[in-house]
Amino acid sequence: MGLTAAVAALGMTAAVSGCGGGGSGSGDVTLKLVAADYGTGAANSSEKYWSDVASGFERENPGIKVEVTVLSWKDVDREVAEMVKAGDAPDIAQIGAYADYAKDGKLYSADETLAIRTSANFLPSLTDAGRVDGTLYGLPFVASTRLLFYNEKLFGQAGLDAPETWDDIAADAAALKAKGVEYPFALPLGQEEAQAETLMWLLSGGGGYTDEVGAYDIDSTANINTFRWLRDNLVGKGLTGPVAPGKLDRAKAFEAFTAGDVGMLNGHPTLMDEAEAKGIKVGMVPLPGADGPAEGSMGVADWMMGFKANGHRKEIGKFLDYAYSDENVLTFADEYDLLPVTGTASAAMESDKKHQKLNEFLAALPNSTLPPFGKTSWATVSDTVKKKIGEAVEPGSNPESVLGGISTEARQAEAAE
């Protein structure tokens, strides 16, 4: 699922070709690019962005044409997989996953396509998640990170300060419940995006999905302690609202926040804008940890990749170098309230007063930890987490058993690759 898959999937397909079609023989090479749509409708469809990028690139590279197909997030990963299976792979894809294609030897590495200045400009925390067996195949395209959001009006009415620790969260949630707040702390561990909410809590407890050498370690002591705390101090005390966390999807939690019914939850830039548009004054702080603010936050990225099938290595590299110019990166990030993935574009955004409200997210990104996208087993493990993690916080549950079961399935999925 893409960063703004939150932003409704359109179920539409749009195909455009910058400066006319690519099959007329007017160019020596035609690149096929398939990209995801981050828009909410025709007015802000990503079709316009990619059409402009393609047109600008063609003007600077008259021997290369670019055919762009824009698909909704609901369809794009499946469509690209079907293209590859049918022997009709695009030259470039901007989608949600790359590891399977890299493992199958279908992708060019960054070293084979990008100029050094381009690859060196990516934020290291993002490229670390784009590697398979140490080689960079998944190029970060846009990113986001997470902060703890709180409703300043509700906090003011309850006489509360922003939380810094888990104990603060529990105490604040109890005070909010006493004031009649429906969701003192919204904890969406439903299947929509439970794997992301889970990682945020694992990191704030000093754990994560993997250990220091990259092996799955889901049932570590730190992770078990985190879910015991959630069970005993939030869920078990009735502080997470009327819907059980395992049944609460992120979209419903966000909807409740924008309606003013949530005291606290973990959020991203798009939610910030949606809430403020509805008159909710949003406070934001780094994710609290057991003893103070967590050392790192969860990061999220979507990916760009170049396919080998058509042999257009040099042309793909030229296009990617062009697409990752500061102007293009900032234009896209600005349109969808996302974070740029390069150092120079991040610095430019940080110094622009227009983007001041994103500064806390920008500050969190370099120290963020992403899910293990480089593992081809991750899709299977993510699905398992979505289906089962809610059980770990149910009153009377055994988090050690639930996490142990997920961990066993994760290791089996990894061994099967």
Side-chain angles (χ1 to χ4, degrees):
M1 178 175 288
L3 291 170
T4 57
V7 187
L10 304 180
M12 60 175 277
T13 299
V16 301
S17 176
C19 295
S24 65
S26 57
D28 298 323
V29 170
T30 297
L31 294 178
K32 295 187 294 182
L33 166 68
V34 177
D37 197 339
Y38 291 71
T40 55
N44 70 341
S45 170
S46 302
E47 173 186 346
K48 181 181 184 302
Y49 171 82
W50 285 114
S51 179
D52 290 345
V53 170
S55 297
F57 175 76
E58 289 178 352
R59 284 193 296 271
E60 293 188 14
N61 298 272
I64 309 173
K65 305 293 288 184
V66 182
E67 290 182 353
V68 180
T69 300
V70 175
L71 300 171
S72 78
W73 269 112
K74 182 177 69 176
D75 302 320
V76 68
D77 284 284
R78 173 179 50 80
E79 291 276 355
V80 169
E82 290 177 357
M83 292 176 193
V84 173
K85 186 176 180 180
D88 188 30
D91 294 286
I92 302 165
Q94 186 275 298
I95 53 179
Y98 67 88
D100 283 336
Y101 302 124
K103 280 283 191 181
D104 290 342
K106 297 182 183 299
L107 301 182
Y108 289 117
S109 69
D111 290 342
E112 293 174 305
T113 53
L114 297 181
I116 293 174
R117 66 178 181 278
T118 303
S119 57
N121 199 18
F122 289 125
L123 296 174
S125 62
L126 302 179
T127 54
D128 286 348
R131 299 181 187 277
V132 173
D133 297 331
T135 299
L136 181 61
Y137 292 100
L139 311 180
F141 177 64
V142 282
S144 182
T145 189
R146 302 292 189 263
L147 298 172
L148 181 105
F149 285 21
Y150 63 95
N151 183 313
E152 290 192 352
K153 179 181 177 181
L154 296 178
F155 265 60
Q157 291 172 344
L160 302 174
D161 295 322
E164 295 183 359
T165 67
W166 286 357
D167 286 345
D168 291 342
I169 287 177
D172 291 351
L176 291 166
K177 182 180 181 181
K179 289 288 187 179
V181 175
E182 188 173 11
Y183 290 88
F185 194 105
L187 184 65
L189 294 176
Q191 290 195 29
E192 181 193 349
E193 209 190 20
Q195 83 288 356
E197 184 74 18
T198 296
L199 181 54
M200 288 180 249
W201 282 100
L202 297 184
L203 293 171
S204 68
Y209 282 124
T210 58
D211 60 20
E212 60 276 3
V213 296
Y216 285 118
D217 195 24
I218 297 171
D219 59 347
S220 68
T221 299
N223 292 345
I224 291 168
N225 288 340
T226 293
F227 273 82
R228 282 178 177 159
W229 187 90
L230 288 170
R231 179 198 63 187
D232 296 341
N233 295 279
L234 290 184
V235 182
K237 293 184 177 179
L239 301 178
T240 53
V243 181
K247 303 293 185 183
L248 181 64
D249 282 341
R250 184 185 68 166
K252 291 297 184 182
F254 283 10
E255 183 181 307
F257 187 79
T258 63
D261 296 328
V262 173
M264 295 171 278
L265 51 56
N266 294 321
H268 57 48
T270 303
L271 174 62
M272 174 185 65
D273 282 348
E274 291 172 351
E276 291 179 349
K278 293 195 175 183
I280 304 297
K281 193 169 183 183
V282 183
M284 297 180 293
V285 292
L287 300 181
D291 302 311
E295 293 184 5
S297 174
M298 184 193 77
V300 181
D302 294 327
W303 307 98
M304 187 92 83
M305 61 212 70
F307 283 86
K308 293 179 177 180
N310 302 315
H312 296 151
R313 180 181 64 83
K314 290 182 179 179
E315 293 82 2
I316 289 170
K318 286 184 178 181
F319 181 83
L320 292 174
D321 287 336
Y322 180 85
Y324 280 108
S325 70
D326 282 357
E327 179 182 0
N328 288 326
V329 170
L330 286 167
T331 296
F332 195 92
D334 187 42
E335 176 67 27
Y336 300 108
D337 285 320
L338 295 167
L339 304 180
V341 296
T342 63
T344 53
S346 294
M349 178 176 277
E350 190 172 7
S351 64
D352 188 341
K353 291 183 179 179
K354 179 176 70 172
H355 298 295
Q356 188 171 3
K357 63 185 180 180
L358 292 175
N359 281 355
E360 289 187 63
F361 294 98
L362 284 166
L365 189 59
N367 294 321
S368 64
T369 298
L370 278 69
F373 290 116
K375 291 179 174 290
T376 54
S377 59
W378 171 240
T380 299
V381 175
S382 174
D383 190 55
T384 301
V385 172
K386 289 179 183 180
K387 291 176 179 176
K388 297 185 176 182
I389 196 64
E391 300 171 11
V393 296
E394 293 175 356
S397 68
N398 185 340
E400 185 170 2
S401 176
V402 175
L403 292 175
I406 295 172
S407 191
T408 296
E409 291 194 36
R411 293 175 182 132
Q412 289 172 347
E414 180 78 351
E417 295 297 337

